[in-house]
């Protein structure tokens, strides 16, 4: 997982289990924040809000405001994730239909041949009419590949934004390659 997000080092294989587990937990926390940002609807993460604003947002959603700040931030992140709309072939995040996970393949299989062709000819894919496959399975495979590549790009950008956000919230520099920024955050949080 660390390698998938571009924050792994060759020496990670030699790390003690506890340290590797803490890095994975940190990566998952950053991905969670990235998911909130990926919705495109919320520019401010709960950990950047003043306590009063955080409580106000929770009350607006009728969520309990008892607990420490970290608990309140997690509750608001959960709410924002449930409200958010991210990305799939229909502009969703793969959690349509009552927030149950739906893969790109599930959505694509429901499209007609004409809808598949129409989706493949959208300008952002950069395909011409000649490059659209004739067979249904080939069209589905191509569209699924394109959608998954786009989703991976968006997740990577969201992860970078969330990582920079966390670095800034701890007063750490947020410059340099992604691996170095992630390690800077790990090293800072290690004694905590």
């Amino acid at each position: 997982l660390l390698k998938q997000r571009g924050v792994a080092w060759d020496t990670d294989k030699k790390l003690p289990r506890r340290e590797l587990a803490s890095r994975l937990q940190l990566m998952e926390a950053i991905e969670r924040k990235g998911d909130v940002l990926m919705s495109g609807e919320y520019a401010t993460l709960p950990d950047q809000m003043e306590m009063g604003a955080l409580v106000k947002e929770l009350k607006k959603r009728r969520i309990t405001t008892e607990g420490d700040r970290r608990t309140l931030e997690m509750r608001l992140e959960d709410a924002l994730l449930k409200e958010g709309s991210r990305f799939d072939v229909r502009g969703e995040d793969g959690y349509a239909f009552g927030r149950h996970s739906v893969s790109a393949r599930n959505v694509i299989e429901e499209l007609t041949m004409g809808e598949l062709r129409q989706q493949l000819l959208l300008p952002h894919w950069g395909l011409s009419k000649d490059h659209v496959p004739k067979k249904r399975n080939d069209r589905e495979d191509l569209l699924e590949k394109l959608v998954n590549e786009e989703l991976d790009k968006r997740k990577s950008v969201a992860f970078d934004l969330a990582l920079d956000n966390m670095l800034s919230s701890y007063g750490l520099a947020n410059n340099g390659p992604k691996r170095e920024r992630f390690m800077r955050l790990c090293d800072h949080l290690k004694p905590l």
Side-chain angles (χ1 to χ4, degrees):
L1 286 173
L2 292 170
K3 192 177 252 184
Q4 193 177 22
R5 285 289 157 240
V7 294
W9 293 88
D10 293 335
T11 57
D12 285 348
K13 295 174 186 168
K14 299 174 185 172
L15 285 175
R17 276 193 136 133
R18 174 175 265 152
E19 190 169 339
L20 187 57
S22 70
R23 286 186 187 184
L24 284 171
Q25 282 181 321
L26 179 59
M27 188 200 70
E28 288 170 355
I30 294 170
E31 280 193 331
R32 179 185 171 88
K33 292 176 186 314
D35 287 344
V36 172
L37 290 172
M38 203 168 138
S39 71
E41 297 176 27
Y42 311 103
T44 305
L45 290 168
D47 63 355
Q48 291 179 318
M49 296 177 170
E50 297 289 326
M51 190 61 165
L54 182 62
V55 169
K56 183 179 176 184
E57 287 294 320
L58 287 167
K59 284 183 176 179
K60 187 166 68 173
R61 290 168 176 81
R62 297 180 181 195
I63 299 172
T64 183
T65 57
E66 293 181 20
D68 63 353
R69 181 176 176 89
R70 181 72 187 124
T71 303
L72 300 181
E73 289 172 4
M74 294 291 285
R75 287 180 188 153
L76 186 55
E77 281 180 9
D78 284 337
L80 296 177
L81 285 171
K82 287 179 182 174
E83 294 173 0
S85 58
R86 289 177 280 174
F87 177 81
D88 70 12
V89 73
R90 293 190 179 157
E92 298 172 6
D93 65 348
Y95 285 90
F97 313 111
R99 308 304 292 172
H100 295 288
S101 180
V102 178
S103 71
R105 176 58 88 175
N106 295 127
V107 175
I108 290 168
E109 285 176 343
E110 294 177 9
L111 300 176
T112 65
M113 278 291 280
E115 290 172 331
L116 283 168
R117 184 174 189 280
Q118 197 175 29
Q119 285 292 326
L120 287 168
L121 290 175
L122 289 174
H124 66 273
W125 300 132
L127 296 175
S128 67
K129 292 179 182 180
D130 300 336
H131 290 98
V132 175
K134 302 287 183 214
K135 294 182 179 178
R136 180 177 183 82
N137 285 342
D138 295 340
R139 285 184 184 185
E140 288 176 349
D141 292 343
L142 179 58
L143 186 55
E144 182 180 20
K145 177 181 168 242
L146 292 170
V147 167
N148 286 332
E149 285 173 0
E150 179 71 16
L151 185 57
D152 286 342
K153 286 179 195 171
R154 290 180 183 211
K155 282 183 178 180
S156 180
V157 168
F159 184 88
D160 280 348
L161 290 171
L163 177 59
D164 288 347
N165 170 273
M166 284 188 79
L167 287 165
S168 296
S169 70
Y170 288 111
L172 301 171
N174 58 4
N175 57 346
K178 189 187 305 187
R179 286 193 309 185
E180 289 177 14
R181 290 180 288 144
F182 183 75
M183 285 309 301
R184 193 175 305 134
L185 187 59
C186 287
D187 292 342
H188 177 76
L189 296 175
K190 200 180 285 184
L192 298 179

